[in-house]
Amino acid sequence: MNQKYKEIICKSACNKTKRSMPYKWDLNIYRGCEHKCKYCYALYSHKYLESNYKERLNSKNSNNSSISNHFFENIYIKSNIAEKLDIQLSKPSWKNEMIAVGTVTDSYQPIEKEYELMPDILNTLIKHKNPALISTKSDLIFRDLDLINELSEINFINIAVTITSLDDKIQKSIEPNTISSKKRLNILKKIRKNTNVSCGLHFMPIIPYLTDSYENMDLMFKNAEKLNVNCIISGSLNLYGKTRGYFLNFIKNEFPEIYNDLFSLYKNGKVNKEYSNDLFSKIKKFKNDYNVEINYSNVIKEK
């Protein structure tokens, strides 16, 4: 991959969420992501950063591949984000509300080894005793465990690790530039064993006909219980905008045997109601079979 990096100045650190979530704000220290996940829903997040990008989006010559490559290969670093976070949390109007870190792009993607922005973010959260949820697919997070544990002593912090499949071949195909699911399970194991930090396993997105098998779902919940995670969150794949074409093209090339069924299922951006209800019933059964929460609200209230 022909990777390009560019530092940018952000106007604010946190953005208020529009949907009802366990958190009110989200923070992403990078725009663009090196993981290159085939289901990435954030492919549009570069569209305001370059003056000619909107033209490229609307161009007859633009395609799903060029749009996605721009997102995966051009990483923008918000070099002043810790400073902006400190300013935001220092305002009298700030209500010490939950901040989700890395909901759009992974804060621990490879470039973080060089820029080391997360320690500054964590120190700022510690300074203001502010709660946080951190999502990642990377074991680079081990570098900051001391700071994460320090924050856990003064307020709520949750580390969420995303795992889509425990089949190595499938996982590597849909998330080509990430560490293995086995290594991600080890993140949860180490954090639960060595810290007081709350942990969540994000089993999402669940991809119909690919990662929704009984075996994969059962293994996911079984590991969540074995590792004593505080919560497992599940959700089916959504296909909107450029993500739809990019993902379906990938399925057609790599898993042609499920393409027609998957295409039929996604007439709109979401799975149909029948599939959604069936998936929820399965998740509810696994929750009853294994001793693990499936909702963050209870975990947050307890902490």
Side-chain angles (χ1 to χ4, degrees), residues 26 43 71 92 140 142 184 256 269 282 287 291-292:
D26 63 18
L43 297 182
F71 178 81
L140 179 58
F142 286 152
R184 292 185 220 177
K282 290 177 182 176
K287 179 190 183 299
N291 184 30
V292 59

Side-chain angles (χ1 to χ4, degrees), residues 208 236-238 265-266 268-276 279:
S236 57
L237 173 73
N238 291 330
L265 188 61
Y266 281 93
N268 299 309
K270 292 184 177 182
V271 293
N272 59 40
K273 191 173 182 180
E274 182 182 359
Y275 180 91
S276 182
L279 181 63

